[in-house]
Amino acid sequence: MKENTNNQKKKNEDYASIRVKAGTKLEINKFLEKVNKTEDCGKVTFDALVTYFLKNVTSDDIKSQQNGAITWAHEDRRLKRLWEKKKGKVSEVEWKKLLYMG
């Protein structure tokens, strides 16, 4: 007789993968291993850890991460906006000329 498997929930049905660097994954696994050493309480999972940090991240934390990811292209646009606030609008050609001439 054939069993009805439609009602059985698949193990990974509600999960998706997150791409992280191999070093990051290693650090997370070490952290979770250290956290889960005690058997007095429930196991902390990667999902619980990410959910906790998402709920508790502050605007200062986000700003710090954004500042850490700045490239020269971002910095160029930021400096141009600051210049335009003080001195007024400037064309792209004039802006490049100001940058190169000093």
Side-chain angles (χ1 to χ4, degrees):
M1 200 182 229
K2 199 173 190 181
E3 286 185 34
N4 187 0
T5 58
N6 292 340
N7 293 335
Q8 292 177 349
K9 188 176 178 184
K10 291 181 183 177
K11 185 176 179 182
N12 291 329
E13 188 174 312
D14 294 336
Y15 292 92
S17 62
I18 297 175
R19 290 181 56 150
V20 294
K21 292 180 182 177
T24 304
K25 183 178 179 185
L26 185 64
E27 286 182 41
I28 292 169
N29 287 337
K30 282 181 185 178
F31 178 78
L32 289 175
E33 197 173 294
K34 183 174 74 173
V35 168
N36 291 323
K37 274 188 179 179
T38 65
E39 295 184 16
D40 297 342
C41 50
K43 202 173 181 186
V44 177
T45 63
F46 182 79
D47 182 61
L49 188 66
V50 170
T51 303
Y52 172 79
F53 283 113
L54 286 174
K55 287 180 182 177
N56 293 300
V57 69
T58 65
S59 58
D60 290 338
D61 295 331
I62 293 170
K63 193 68 175 169
S64 173
Q65 289 297 312
Q66 289 172 333
N67 287 339
I70 289 177
T71 64
W72 282 110
H74 296 114
E75 187 66 6
D76 183 44
R77 288 191 301 267
R78 187 186 73 82
L79 290 173
K80 184 178 178 193
R81 279 195 306 270
L82 288 173
W83 174 270
E84 288 177 341
K85 272 185 181 178
K86 280 188 170 183
K87 307 287 183 171
K89 289 281 183 189
V90 64
S91 72
E92 195 63 34
V93 173
E94 291 171 332
W95 174 247
K96 293 295 180 189
K97 185 176 173 184
L98 284 170
L99 285 178
Y100 297 142
M101 299 288 191

